[in-house]
Amino acid sequence: MAAEPVIIDAATFLRSPITITAESVEIEGKTIAPGRGWLRRLAPEGWTQRISAAGTEGVSRSAAVSALASIARDDRFTWLTELDALGGAENKPYQYRRAAAAGVPVPEWIVTTDTGAVPQEGDWVAKPLGPGAFVDEQGNGRVVPTKLVDTTDRTVIAQVPFILQRLVDSRTHARVVTIGSTVRSAKLPAASLPLDWRTSSAGHYGFIADSAPDHVHELAQAAAASTNVNYSSQDWIEDSEGQWWFIDLNPAGQWLFLPEDVASPITHAIARHLDGF
């Protein structure tokens, strides 16, 4: 019989009894057997919002993350994606460089706070280099969407680095998910959708169970391998001329919003990996 899965994040360590020794890890009195696991994120959403580093909450959260990281680096556990690879793949310039070196088509991009380096020709979009969501001074949640920018306006670049990426005239979006050698995808027609389909509810529910071409699956595997992640949720765009472009890779991205025929095989592939198959 397969062991019952244990699902934890750093918040668990502030509300549940834990014990970590050289010999074992126990959570709520249960010993966690060595084996396979999946690191999706160390802390829940909201933990990265601004708090006083010297305050009790900040110190407690830091300690909880450190405790969980000690498990993430415990060689008795084998992770779907190792901690260092997970952290590295979160950085878009890093993944762009590695993917392009592996032969994956990546739209031209630049990160700069130098107004003299801002591209002056063609259409460009701005994408957050840091978190894509934050809490403002009034406590309201905000999302930073990908948006078209006027690069002739030199004030488009401020003190905070953003990614400028050449606009791809999208005909079709695709979410491509890789789990080891397994690849599944679904398409989203771009017509009537905003530039950033994530800002539209129609985008989240408009994916159809139509796979991206085989060569895109092969390139998606190359992108995942280039960043050493064994799970990835990738965004791809087919342009108006039929060329497919790698947009970005999320080493802990979502897949359950995809059509059932696509989402279920992904879930099964993850479960099979965790079960050792």
Side-chain angles (χ1 to χ4, degrees):
M1 179 181 296
E4 181 181 351
V6 178
I7 302 173
I8 57 174
D9 62 18
T12 304
F13 285 25
L14 293 183
R15 64 174 182 260
S16 303
I18 65 164
T19 301
I20 302 172
T21 69
E23 291 76 30
S24 65
V25 175
E26 293 185 5
I27 300 176
E28 296 182 337
K30 297 180 181 179
T31 299
I32 308 304
R36 293 188 176 194
W38 185 18
L39 297 173
R40 287 202 69 195
R41 55 178 60 92
L42 291 181
E45 289 188 31
W47 271 44
T48 56
Q49 71 188 58
R50 185 175 63 189
I51 56 175
S52 171
T56 301
E57 184 179 12
V59 171
S60 298
R61 289 184 179 184
S62 178
V65 170
S66 294
L68 185 55
S70 73
I71 298 176
R73 296 190 182 280
D74 190 324
D75 58 13
R76 289 171 295 188
F77 301 99
T78 301
W79 306 109
L80 180 56
T81 295
E82 297 297 330
L83 181 61
D84 291 335
L86 182 72
E90 293 280 6
N91 186 281
K92 286 185 173 58
Y94 169 78
Q95 62 178 247
Y96 292 159
R97 290 195 304 270
R98 297 299 296 264
V104 178
V106 179
E108 183 182 358
W109 61 274
I110 182 173
V111 175
T112 184
T113 55
D114 181 354
T115 58
V118 177
Q120 296 300 294
E121 297 182 356
D123 295 323
W124 296 76
V125 296
K127 304 168 67 171
L129 182 59
F134 66 97
V135 177
D136 65 18
E137 289 76 5
Q138 288 73 45
N140 300 313
R142 303 289 187 185
V143 175
V144 184
T146 298
K147 63 179 183 179
L148 189 67
V149 294
D150 178 9
T151 55
T152 63
D153 177 6
R154 295 300 180 123
T155 63
V156 71
I157 292 299
Q159 294 181 345
V160 177
F162 272 75
I163 301 171
L164 296 180
Q165 190 171 59
R166 189 175 290 279
L167 175 69
V168 176
D169 182 18
S170 57
R171 180 166 71 188
T172 309
H173 299 279
R175 174 59 60 95
V176 183
V177 180
T178 67
I179 316 97
S181 60
T182 299
V183 186
R184 293 289 187 274
S185 65
K187 290 180 180 177
L188 174 67
S192 302
L193 289 177
L195 178 66
D196 189 339
W197 61 261
R198 298 170 302 172
T199 62
S200 167
S201 59
H204 288 274
Y205 299 105
F207 278 87
I208 57 177
D210 182 16
S211 295
D214 289 344
H215 79 276
V216 173
H217 282 196
E218 293 172 1
L219 290 167
Q221 285 185 299
S226 73
T227 53
N228 298 311
V229 295
N230 286 316
Y231 172 89
S232 72
S233 181
Q234 303 180 21
D235 286 325
W236 285 74
I237 289 179
E238 179 191 23
D239 67 20
S240 56
E241 297 181 353
Q243 169 71 35
W244 283 89
W245 297 90
F246 170 79
I247 302 303
D248 58 32
L249 174 156
N250 188 333
Q254 302 291 337
W255 77 93
L256 289 177
F257 65 88
L258 298 175
E260 179 68 20
D261 290 349
V262 179
S264 287
I266 295 170
T267 303
H268 293 159
I270 294 170
R272 286 178 61 83
H273 170 85
L274 298 178
D275 280 340
F277 294 103

